[in-house]
Amino acid sequence: KQRPTLKVVVIDPRQTATCEIADIHLPLKSGSDDWLFSGLLAYLARMDSIDYEYLEASTDGFGATLKKAKATTPTIMDAARECGLKENDVANFYDLYRKTSKTVTVYSQGINQSSSGTDKVNAIINCHLATGRIGQPGMGPFSLTGQPNAMGGREVGGLANQLAAHMDFSAEDIDRVQRFWQAPNIVDKPGLKAVDLFDSVASGKIRAIWIMGTNPAVSMPDARKIHEALS
């Protein structure tokens, strides 16, 4: 409402509330996201919308990537067919992406937790790399995880079951983190993960819990048990 020139494209098999603000809704066949973005990459190359200077300076293997994209989804019609979409809708999305330099691709668990999630994320990032739309204000691929700052928690050791930088509780890892942080009293074994944590709350072993930026009564399995534990 504040920026009527802002265009929103929703790529989702479902008709969700987000579609209410969408200029284009692409209800693609479940699991076909990588076909859509592979087709986009081939289209960008066809339309001479590739930032070769950026690619030469910042990437490797673009030639092989583009060759694969052209072989799998050489035309808009191919991408539309693989995704179960109308060709005109795909064409409008591709054209909008090509013409809009400040583009952000926001994706969440449907991509990240797919059985081929790595390929899907890679297909999205490739389109941003190919056009140089990354690392600048107002553009880039942007992953929304299902937990509050899950990546930050993993990197700094904020998760209960690992030390910083994804390290385990081996003597070598404990010593390395201990020396780096100058922390003589560092923890030496894993704490409780989410399900075990609420089991301990329910049993009375844990008497206080501080919850920030999430709602376990909604996000956790067996919501009834979570309600009982918190009560």
Side-chain angles (χ1 to χ4, degrees), residues 218-231:
V218 171
S219 61
M220 290 284 292
D222 198 347
R224 180 184 53 79
K225 187 170 76 171
I226 302 301
H227 278 268
E228 291 173 356
L230 290 174
S231 66

Side-chain angles (χ1 to χ4, degrees), residues 15 38 55 72 84 102 105 130-131 150 155 174 224:
Q15 180 85 25
S38 174
L55 287 170
T72 54
K102 286 186 177 291
T105 306
T131 51
E155 295 302 335
I174 291 171
R224 180 184 53 79

Side-chain angles (χ1 to χ4, degrees), residues 122-211:
N122 200 35
I124 292 169
I125 292 173
N126 284 339
C127 293
H128 282 272
L129 290 173
T131 51
R133 296 174 185 173
I134 193 165
Q136 299 182 57
M139 59 181 72
F142 187 48
S143 171
L144 294 175
T145 62
Q147 304 81 29
N149 195 21
M151 181 56 77
R154 288 191 287 272
E155 295 302 335
V156 304
L159 301 193
N161 63 322
Q162 63 185 38
L163 293 175
H166 304 252
M167 283 187 274
D168 203 349
F169 289 88
S170 68
E172 183 183 4
D173 286 347
I174 291 171
D175 177 63
R176 183 183 293 115
V177 177
Q178 196 169 35
R179 284 185 287 107
F180 185 82
W181 279 353
Q182 300 177 40
N185 297 321
I186 196 165
V187 66
D188 59 4
K189 59 181 181 294
L192 298 172
K193 291 193 283 188
V195 172
D196 299 327
L197 175 75
F198 282 98
D199 286 343
S200 293
V201 171
S203 70
K205 182 178 179 182
I206 289 178
R207 302 288 297 168
I209 185 168
W210 187 12
I211 299 169

Side-chain angles (χ1 to χ4, degrees), residues 3-4 14 16 30 51 63 70 117 132 135 166 170 177:
R3 295 177 58 200
R14 305 159 302 165
T16 67
S30 185
D51 188 340
K70 287 180 175 178
H166 304 252
S170 68
V177 177

Side-chain angles (χ1 to χ4, degrees), residues 5 29 190 215:
T5 57
K29 185 169 61 180
N215 184 358

